[in-house]
Structure formats: structure tokens, C-alpha cells
Amino acid sequence: NGFIPWDDDLDVGMPRKDYKKFLKLAARALPEDVRLQTPADTPRLAIPFAKLRDTSSYFGESRPDMSTADPSGIYMDIFPYDDMPRLGRSLEDLLSRACSCTWMRMKYFYNKCADGFFSALFYSVLGLGFHGLHGLIRFVVWVLNLVLPSDNFYICLEYIDIFPYPKRQMFPAASHVFEDGEFPIPADADAILTSQYGDWRQIPPPEKRPRHARIIDPFHAA
């Protein structure tokens, strides 16, 4: 019903077709103090999905593997979901590891390299390699949907942990109170949370409460 005290960002998901439509419309529909950030318009952005950032605030990342080229602004992550036939756990794990390894390796190198011409060249080559591999994985999933058509599951290839989500657990969306508003959530949020976190109602010990930010200033930009 509200923010987890040690969590400091929001995650939103939508089917791929809606995600593409959102990216086209957002640039002219968002208010001036909210910026759409994507890998296509932000050099050295070490993530493969879109963000919305509040440009009037400051959000300093605490974990090196989560840093980006533009760390300022409290943000919301936006993840696209692709149709996915069930392949069996071993093949799904293979896709998951391929996405995770390429993403994490890219972020590691992005954070280890200094600024300068050669670094910029390296970033460009590395970025092309990663996005090329990521595009190849998406193409494989597209082909699998042609060969093994299924309209029963979603998969999020832009995240480091891949879980096939049954569509019946996602839609039709339910409505739920969060802080002082009411928002759409998955139809069976309990099932999805349980598949990701196990007993999600159990409060984890302090050492398992990661934060994204080392400092947050909601009233002043960097």
C-alpha cells in the first residue's frame, strides 16, 4: 500500500506494442520537468530500457553497477514485456543468463573506463555490441513465437532476472491503493510477487535491503 522504506525507485511494465507507442508520445506529452531517457538519446546509458526522470531533483546512485551517464533526477523505470512461448526451464535460464551477462558486463566496463576520445570510442563499440546481442535475443524470441505460437505468457528481456509471466496473472489489470492514489496493478499481484521473491510478506534482514541511491535531494537538481 505504499513505499518500502529502503526502496527508492518505481518500476512500471507494459506490453511491447504499448511501450513503443509510449516512447513516441511521451516526448511531447510530458511536462517540462519530466524527461524521457532512453539508450537511443543518452550516450553511455548503461541500461537497455526507458526511464522517466524528475529534472528538478537529484538522485545519486550508490551502486557502481547501476550508474548511468546522467545520474541526476528521481526516476521511474519502464520495462517492455514481449510475448513468450514456454520453452522449458533450461532454455529460459539460457536467455536469462545471456541478457544478464551482456547487460552487467556493459555496465562494468562503462564504469571502469575514463573519459576521453578512446573511452568514447570504446563505449560506442561496446554499446553497439551489447545492443546488437540484445537485438539478436529479441529476434530469437520473435522467431520462437512464430514457430511455437502462444498468447499465454510475457517475458521482460530488458531486466536482469527473467521470469515468464502468465498473462492471466497480468490482465485484466486490478486497481489498488498506493500512498494517496489508486493505480493499476497485475490481476494476480500476489502470484507474481511470490514467483519473484518467495514469501514477499516476510521483511528481509537489514543486509538484504539494497538501496539504489546514496543521496536523494527531491528539491534541487545537480
Side-chain angles (χ1 to χ4, degrees):
N1 303 325
F3 281 102
I4 298 171
W6 58 89
D7 200 0
D8 47 26
D9 79 329
L10 291 167
D11 296 326
V12 171
M14 59 185 73
R16 175 74 64 177
K17 63 178 182 178
D18 296 320
Y19 179 81
K20 290 181 176 180
K21 184 177 180 181
F22 171 78
L23 295 184
K24 290 181 179 178
L25 297 177
R28 61 176 182 269
L30 292 171
E32 291 184 0
D33 59 347
V34 178
R35 176 191 172 193
L36 174 66
Q37 187 180 38
T38 70
D41 64 19
T42 308
R44 293 170 52 181
L45 184 65
I47 55 171
F49 50 86
K51 287 178 179 280
L52 291 182
R53 284 193 182 272
D54 170 25
T55 59
S56 61
S57 64
Y58 177 76
F59 188 98
E61 299 276 8
S62 59
R63 293 185 289 170
D65 66 331
M66 295 299 292
S67 68
T68 68
D70 179 11
S72 59
I74 296 171
Y75 63 82
M76 172 189 295
D77 290 330
I78 305 176
F79 297 102
Y81 293 110
D82 291 288
D83 291 333
M84 178 70 177
R86 288 310 302 263
L87 304 174
R89 188 57 185 266
S90 58
L91 288 176
E92 288 162 6
D93 283 348
L94 179 63
L95 282 173
S96 176
R97 290 195 181 105
C99 285
S100 299
C101 288
T102 51
W103 182 20
M104 297 307 290
R105 286 295 93 189
M106 182 182 73
K107 289 195 292 185
Y108 173 81
F109 285 118
Y110 271 29
N111 288 302
K112 289 295 183 183
C113 288
D115 291 328
F117 172 78
F118 290 105
S119 293
L121 180 63
F122 180 76
Y123 291 136
S124 299
V125 173
L126 186 67
L128 286 173
F130 168 75
H131 291 297
L133 180 57
H134 189 263
L136 177 61
I137 294 171
R138 281 186 53 200
F139 176 74
V140 168
V141 171
W142 179 77
V143 171
L144 288 170
N145 277 292
L146 291 180
V147 177
L148 304 168
S150 172
D151 194 40
N152 296 323
F153 293 90
Y154 284 127
I155 194 168
C156 182
L157 294 171
E158 271 72 6
Y159 193 54
I160 57 175
D161 296 312
I162 292 182
F163 300 92
Y165 299 101
K167 290 187 178 182
R168 58 180 170 75
Q169 294 179 359
M170 303 286 273
F171 295 106
S175 183
H176 195 81
V177 172
F178 183 87
E179 298 293 346
D180 58 353
E182 192 165 333
F183 301 91
I185 66 169
D188 191 349
D190 178 77
I192 291 176
L193 289 168
T194 300
S195 70
Q196 290 194 39
Y197 304 109
D199 185 3
W200 59 272
R201 294 180 177 84
Q202 183 68 35
I203 297 177
E207 64 272 15
K208 293 187 178 181
R209 301 177 191 175
R211 300 182 71 94
H212 295 86
R214 54 182 171 78
I215 183 171
I216 301 175
D217 187 338
F219 305 111
H220 301 92

